[in-house]
Coordinates of all heavy atoms in Angstrom, one line a residue:
P1 N 0.8 -1.2 0.0 CA 0.0 0.1 0.0 C 0.9 1.2 0.0 O 0.5 2.2 -0.7 CB -0.9 -0.1 1.3 CG -0.9 -1.6 1.5 CD 0.3 -2.2 1.0
A2 N 1.9 1.3 0.8 CA 2.8 2.6 0.9 C 3.4 2.8 -0.5 O 3.4 4.0 -0.9 CB 3.8 2.3 1.9
S3 N 4.0 1.7 -1.1 CA 4.4 2.0 -2.5 C 3.5 2.4 -3.5 O 3.8 3.2 -4.3 CB 5.3 0.7 -2.9 OG 6.3 0.4 -2.0
A4 N 2.3 1.8 -3.4 CA 1.2 2.2 -4.4 C 0.8 3.6 -4.3 O 0.7 4.2 -5.3 CB 0.1 1.3 -4.2
V5 N 0.7 4.0 -3.0 CA 0.4 5.5 -2.8 C 1.4 6.4 -3.4 O 1.1 7.2 -4.1 CB 0.2 5.7 -1.3 CG1 0.0 7.2 -1.1 CG2 -1.1 4.9 -0.8
A6 N 2.7 6.1 -3.1 CA 3.8 6.9 -3.6 C 3.8 7.0 -5.0 O 4.0 8.1 -5.7 CB 5.2 6.5 -2.9
L7 N 3.8 5.8 -5.6 CA 3.8 5.7 -7.1 C 2.6 6.4 -7.8 O 2.8 7.1 -8.7 CB 3.7 4.2 -7.6 CG 3.8 4.0 -9.1 CD1 5.0 4.6 -9.8 CD2 3.7 2.5 -9.5
T8 N 1.4 6.2 -7.3 CA 0.2 6.9 -7.8 C 0.3 8.5 -7.7 O 0.0 9.2 -8.6 CB -1.0 6.5 -7.1 OG1 -1.1 5.1 -7.1 CG2 -2.3 6.9 -8.0
L9 N 0.8 8.9 -6.5 CA 1.0 10.3 -6.3 C 1.9 11.0 -7.2 O 1.7 12.0 -7.9 CB 1.5 10.6 -5.0 CG 0.5 10.5 -3.7 CD1 1.2 10.5 -2.4 CD2 -0.7 11.5 -3.8
R10 N 3.0 10.3 -7.7 CA 4.0 10.8 -8.5 C 3.5 10.6 -10.0 O 3.6 11.5 -10.8 CB 5.3 9.9 -8.5 CG 6.4 10.4 -9.3 CD 7.0 11.8 -8.8 NE 7.8 12.3 -9.7 CZ 7.4 13.2 -10.7 NH1 6.1 13.5 -10.9 NH2 8.3 13.7 -11.6
A11 N 2.9 9.5 -10.4 CA 2.6 9.2 -11.7 C 1.3 9.9 -12.2 O 1.1 10.4 -13.3 CB 2.5 7.6 -12.1
V12 N 0.3 9.9 -11.3 CA -1.0 10.4 -11.7 C -1.4 11.6 -11.0 O -2.1 12.6 -11.5 CB -2.2 9.3 -11.4 CG1 -3.5 9.8 -11.9 CG2 -1.7 8.0 -12.0
G13 N -1.0 11.7 -9.8 CA -1.4 12.9 -8.9 C -0.7 14.2 -9.3 O -1.2 15.3 -8.9
G14 N 0.4 14.1 -10.0 CA 1.2 15.2 -10.3 C 2.1 15.8 -9.4 O 2.7 16.9 -9.5
L15 N 2.2 15.1 -8.1 CA 3.1 15.6 -7.1 C 4.6 15.4 -7.3 O 4.9 14.3 -8.0 CB 2.8 15.1 -5.7 CG 1.6 15.8 -5.0 CD1 0.3 15.7 -5.7 CD2 1.5 15.2 -3.5
T16 N 5.5 16.2 -6.9 CA 6.8 15.9 -7.1 C 7.4 15.0 -6.0 O 6.7 14.8 -5.0 CB 7.7 17.1 -6.9 OG1 7.6 17.7 -5.6 CG2 7.2 18.3 -7.9
T17 N 8.6 14.3 -6.1 CA 9.2 13.5 -5.0 C 9.3 14.2 -3.7 O 9.0 13.7 -2.7 CB 10.4 12.9 -5.5 OG1 10.2 12.3 -6.8 CG2 10.9 12.0 -4.5
R18 N 9.6 15.5 -3.8 CA 9.8 16.3 -2.6 C 8.4 16.4 -1.9 O 8.3 16.4 -0.7 CB 10.3 17.7 -2.9 CG 10.7 18.5 -1.7 CD 11.2 19.9 -2.1 NE 12.6 19.6 -2.6 CZ 13.0 19.8 -4.0 NH1 12.0 20.0 -4.8 NH2 14.2 19.6 -4.4
Q19 N 7.3 16.7 -2.6 CA 6.0 16.9 -1.9 C 5.6 15.6 -1.4 O 5.0 15.6 -0.2 CB 5.1 17.4 -3.0 CG 5.3 18.8 -3.4 CD 4.5 19.2 -4.7 OE1 4.3 18.4 -5.6 NE2 3.9 20.4 -4.7
I20 N 5.8 14.5 -2.1 CA 5.3 13.3 -1.5 C 6.1 12.9 -0.2 O 5.6 12.4 0.8 CB 5.6 12.1 -2.5 CG1 4.7 12.4 -3.9 CG2 5.1 10.8 -2.0 CD1 5.2 11.5 -5.0
A21 N 7.5 13.2 -0.2 CA 8.2 12.9 0.9 C 7.8 13.7 2.1 O 7.8 13.3 3.2 CB 9.8 13.1 0.6
R22 N 7.5 14.9 2.0 CA 7.0 15.7 3.0 C 5.7 15.2 3.6 O 5.4 15.2 4.7 CB 6.8 17.2 2.4 CG 6.4 18.2 3.5 CD 6.4 19.6 3.1 NE 5.4 19.8 2.1 CZ 5.2 20.8 1.2 NH1 6.1 21.8 1.2 NH2 4.2 21.0 0.4
A23 N 4.8 14.7 2.6 CA 3.5 14.1 3.2 C 3.7 13.0 4.0 O 3.0 12.6 5.0 CB 2.6 13.9 1.9
Y24 N 4.7 12.2 3.6 CA 5.1 10.9 4.3 C 6.0 11.1 5.5 O 6.3 10.1 6.2 CB 5.8 9.9 3.4 CG 4.7 8.9 2.8 CD1 4.2 9.2 1.5 CD2 4.4 7.8 3.5 CE1 3.3 8.4 1.0 CE2 3.5 6.9 2.8 CZ 2.9 7.2 1.6 OH 2.1 6.3 1.0
L25 N 6.4 12.3 5.8 CA 7.4 12.7 7.0 C 8.7 11.8 6.7 O 9.3 11.4 7.7 CB 6.8 12.4 8.2 CG 5.4 13.0 8.5 CD1 4.8 12.7 9.9 CD2 5.4 14.6 8.2
V26 N 9.2 11.6 5.5 CA 10.5 11.0 5.3 C 11.4 11.8 4.5 O 11.0 12.8 3.7 CB 10.3 9.7 4.6 CG1 9.3 8.7 5.5 CG2 9.7 9.8 3.2
P27 N 12.7 11.6 4.5 CA 13.7 12.3 3.5 C 13.2 12.1 2.1 O 12.8 11.1 1.7 CB 15.0 11.7 3.9 CG 14.8 11.1 5.3 CD 13.4 10.7 5.3
E28 N 13.7 13.2 1.3 CA 13.3 13.0 -0.1 C 14.0 11.8 -0.7 O 13.5 11.2 -1.7 CB 13.7 14.3 -0.8 CG 13.4 14.3 -2.3 CD 13.7 15.7 -3.0 OE1 14.0 16.6 -2.2 OE2 13.5 15.8 -4.1
A29 N 15.3 11.7 -0.3 CA 16.1 10.5 -1.0 C 15.4 9.1 -0.7 O 15.4 8.3 -1.6 CB 17.5 10.5 -0.4
T30 N 14.8 9.0 0.5 CA 14.1 7.8 0.9 C 12.9 7.6 0.0 O 12.6 6.5 -0.5 CB 13.7 7.8 2.3 OG1 15.0 7.9 3.2 CG2 12.9 6.6 2.7
M31 N 12.1 8.6 -0.3 CA 10.9 8.6 -1.0 C 11.3 8.2 -2.5 O 10.7 7.5 -3.2 CB 10.1 9.8 -1.0 CG 8.9 9.7 -1.7 SD 7.8 8.4 -1.4 CE 7.3 8.6 0.3
A32 N 12.5 8.8 -3.0 CA 12.9 8.5 -4.4 C 13.2 7.1 -4.5 O 12.7 6.5 -5.6 CB 14.1 9.5 -4.7
Q33 N 13.9 6.5 -3.6 CA 14.2 5.1 -3.6 C 12.9 4.3 -3.6 O 12.7 3.2 -4.4 CB 15.1 4.7 -2.5 CG 16.4 5.2 -2.5 CD 17.3 5.0 -1.3 OE1 16.8 4.4 -0.4 NE2 18.5 5.4 -1.3
R34 N 12.0 4.6 -2.8 CA 10.6 3.9 -2.6 C 10.0 3.9 -4.0 O 9.4 2.9 -4.5 CB 9.8 4.5 -1.6 CG 8.4 3.8 -1.3 CD 7.7 4.4 -0.2 NE 8.4 4.3 1.1 CZ 8.0 4.9 2.2 NH1 6.7 5.5 2.1 NH2 8.7 4.9 3.3
I35 N 9.8 5.1 -4.7 CA 9.2 5.2 -5.9 C 9.9 4.4 -7.0 O 9.2 3.6 -7.8 CB 9.0 6.7 -6.4 CG1 8.1 7.5 -5.3 CG2 8.5 6.9 -7.8 CD1 8.0 9.0 -5.6
S36 N 11.2 4.4 -7.0 CA 12.0 3.6 -7.9 C 11.8 2.1 -7.8 O 11.5 1.5 -8.8 CB 13.5 3.9 -7.7 OG 13.9 5.2 -8.0
R37 N 11.7 1.7 -6.6 CA 11.4 0.2 -6.3 C 10.0 -0.1 -6.8 O 9.7 -1.2 -7.4 CB 11.6 0.0 -4.8 CG 13.0 -0.1 -4.4 CD 13.1 -0.8 -3.0 NE 12.3 -0.1 -2.0 CZ 12.8 0.8 -1.1 NH1 14.1 1.2 -1.3 NH2 12.1 1.4 -0.3
A38 N 9.0 0.8 -6.6 CA 7.7 0.6 -7.0 C 7.7 0.4 -8.5 O 7.0 -0.5 -9.2 CB 6.8 1.6 -6.5

């Protein structure tokens, strides 16, 4: 679920990796890795 949310926010929601990381309360690099894995 966490990866699906991150991927959807980036691919469809139009949010940047930085915005998604802020929403998840994690560093931007961590979120970038999560989206890449997804």
Side-chain angles (χ1 to χ4, degrees):
S3 294
V5 170
L7 178 61
T8 313
L9 287 171
R10 183 71 191 91
V12 187
L15 274 64
T16 65
T17 303
R18 182 177 295 109
Q19 290 170 318
I20 301 169
R22 188 173 66 191
Y24 266 95
L25 309 179
V26 300
E28 184 177 354
T30 300
M31 182 53 64
Q33 292 174 356
R34 184 179 300 178
I35 294 172
S36 294
R37 287 195 299 269

